Amino acid sequence: MSVKQTQRLKQGINSVTGGIYKIQRFCINDGPGLRTTVFFKGCQLRCKWCHNPETIPARRTFLLNHDTCTLCGRCVTVCPVNAHKIEAGTHTVDRNSCTFCGKCESICPVDAIEIAGETMSVSDVIEIIRKDQIYYAESGGGVTLSGGEPMMQPDFAGALIQECKEAGYSVYVDTNGAASPGVYNSVVKDADGILFDIKLINSRKHLEYTGMANEQILKNFRNSCPMDKDLIVRYVVIPGINDGAGDLTELCDFLEKCGFDGELELLAYHRLGLRKYASMGLDYELSAIEPPSQERMNEIQSYLRSNNLQAVYRK
Ligand code: SF4
Ligand code: SF4
């Protein structure tokens, strides 16, 4: 390939754009070392316990924190489509008419409004990532693509991974695995590691709690095991949903049959995202579920270890 062709190709890759929720620096829980985590917008699943519901819609998302809002009315004044209303001490927003102009977000004196998501090019993202590269070598870190779900934007994810690899960064992909084999393989092929979120093994329950059956997800996981990559399973323990004896036995059996010998990271369900549901005008269906105790998490860790899995629960 000529120099000009290479330059044109590179320009093409750098100008690919995608929907990004945010880029978080100095992350310590998204793969090895210090990492820069790029949160994609859009997800195919509707997990009832999702703690980042603002990443689920592919388009931008409007959030209004009613706890912070002082009802000052400035947003009402600036909104060009009259989406805000304050009546009888109650602030409502017509999200359907919002054009995401950002005027209310800018004028709010208490940051009660957030418009989540923006369009960025690969080079925009790389520019931010580059600020952290000094920490990668020392800590064994790098970049992690997360979400939302990177598989929802395979061209953008692929182009970003390509650029990161060219710059010499380690790349991990945090995924729910819900993609066709073609899409899945095209995204993970150049990644160094995969953080694979397994929600439930039972497909009927998976459908009930995430809105999607899991046959294809588990197939993608199975196919990932022989890949020459650091494959880590993430399992969020949700009391009464996936922590029963049957659920854990199914998990052990499945991982054993796959020949999985990597780390199984246990995460305790929490309700830190609850306020976001109200901010988006949504109900949170699992409000009755309490987070698991540390004793229960330790118990599950021991059980999984007794089944020859490298289960790790980090508090
Ligand atoms: S982002 Fe713009 S259109 Fe949407 S509610 Fe705020 S001011 Fe109105
Ligand atoms: S500008 Fe902010 S604090 Fe004032 S009413 Fe709007 S959301 Fe509430």
Side-chain angles (χ1 to χ4, degrees):
M1 196 183 287
S2 72
V3 176
K4 269 193 176 163
Q5 279 173 321
T6 309
Q7 279 171 345
R8 268 203 297 274
L9 185 66
K10 198 153 175 48
Q11 276 164 3
I13 288 170
N14 275 311
S15 62
V16 177
T17 58
I20 295 296
Y21 167 49
K22 68 176 175 186
I23 299 174
Q24 198 162 312
R25 303 174 65 195
F26 311 119
C27 299
I28 53 168
N29 293 318
D30 291 330
L34 273 181
R35 308 195 75 83
T36 313
T37 303
V38 183
F39 291 88
F40 282 49
K41 275 288 268 169
C43 186
Q44 328 84 318
L45 300 188
R46 296 291 179 269
C47 303
K48 291 184 193 285
W49 52 86
C50 179
H51 65 282
N52 283 327
E54 70 277 45
T55 64
I56 294 176
R59 62 182 227 141
R60 282 183 286 177
T61 310
F62 184 98
L63 292 98
L64 167 63
N65 186 343
H66 292 276
D67 295 339
T68 318
C69 171
T70 59
L71 305 177
C72 74
R74 293 188 197 189
C75 52
V76 179
T77 318
V78 296
C79 179
V81 296
N82 299 318
H84 291 267
K85 286 214 170 20
I86 298 177
E87 281 166 353
T90 304
H91 186 169
T92 54
V93 184
D94 177 3
R95 289 178 169 78
N96 291 329
S97 59
C98 172
T99 58
F100 303 106
C101 71
K103 287 183 179 168
C104 59
E105 185 187 34
S106 310
I107 206 164
C108 178
V110 292
D111 293 335
I113 295 169
E114 182 190 354
I115 294 172
E118 60 182 311
T119 301
M120 296 179 82
S121 67
V122 167
S123 56
D124 293 335
V125 178
I126 291 286
E127 205 178 306
I128 296 172
I129 290 173
R130 208 172 278 132
K131 293 180 190 161
D132 290 351
Q133 65 183 9
I134 187 169
Y135 307 105
Y136 298 160
E138 268 178 38
S139 69
V143 179
T144 298
L145 273 51
S146 185
E149 174 53 51
M151 298 290 162
M152 289 282 282
Q153 303 182 64
D155 294 343
F156 182 61
L160 185 55
I161 293 172
Q162 207 177 319
E163 279 303 286
C164 286
K165 292 311 300 173
E166 211 162 285
Y169 309 147
S170 142
V171 181
Y172 276 54
V173 178
D174 179 12
T175 179
N176 59 35
S180 68
V183 165
Y184 181 82
N185 292 328
S186 75
V187 173
V188 301
K189 72 176 172 29
D190 293 323
D192 302 278
I194 304 170
L195 302 165
F196 203 110
D197 305 316
I198 292 184
K199 322 283 185 187
L200 276 153
I201 300 299
N202 182 291
S203 191
R204 183 192 51 75
K205 282 179 80 175
H206 200 281
L207 175 64
E208 180 183 348
Y209 288 107
T210 73
M212 195 184 272
N214 66 0
E215 283 78 6
Q216 185 56 55
I217 293 172
L218 298 185
K219 204 168 165 186
N220 283 336
F221 179 80
R222 206 173 293 120
N223 292 339
S224 303
C225 290
M227 290 180 187
D228 185 21
K229 298 181 191 301
D230 182 18
L231 180 61
I232 296 171
V233 169
R234 282 179 149 180
Y235 194 76
V236 180
V237 175
I238 309 140
I241 292 182
N242 68 358
D243 72 334
D247 302 308
L248 298 175
T249 306
E250 281 177 345
L251 178 66
C252 293
D253 289 350
F254 172 72
L255 293 177
E256 190 195 339
K257 278 191 193 122
C258 291
F260 174 67
D261 59 1
E263 188 172 283
L264 167 54
E265 199 178 306
L266 294 173
L267 304 160
Y269 160 77
H270 61 72
R271 296 188 294 193
L272 299 177
L274 214 144
R275 182 189 51 75
K276 297 180 186 176
Y277 282 80
S279 298
M280 290 170 67
L282 301 173
D283 289 331
Y284 185 69
E285 289 182 46
L286 304 188
S287 49
I289 294 184
E290 294 287 336
S293 64
Q294 291 211 357
E295 291 71 35
R296 179 65 183 139
M297 291 300 292
N298 289 334
E299 211 174 271
I300 292 173
Q301 176 182 256
S302 301
Y303 173 76
L304 296 171
R305 284 185 180 176
S306 70
N307 280 274
N308 303 318
L309 290 165
Q310 294 178 52
V312 181
Y313 164 49
R314 295 189 185 92
K315 291 161 200 77

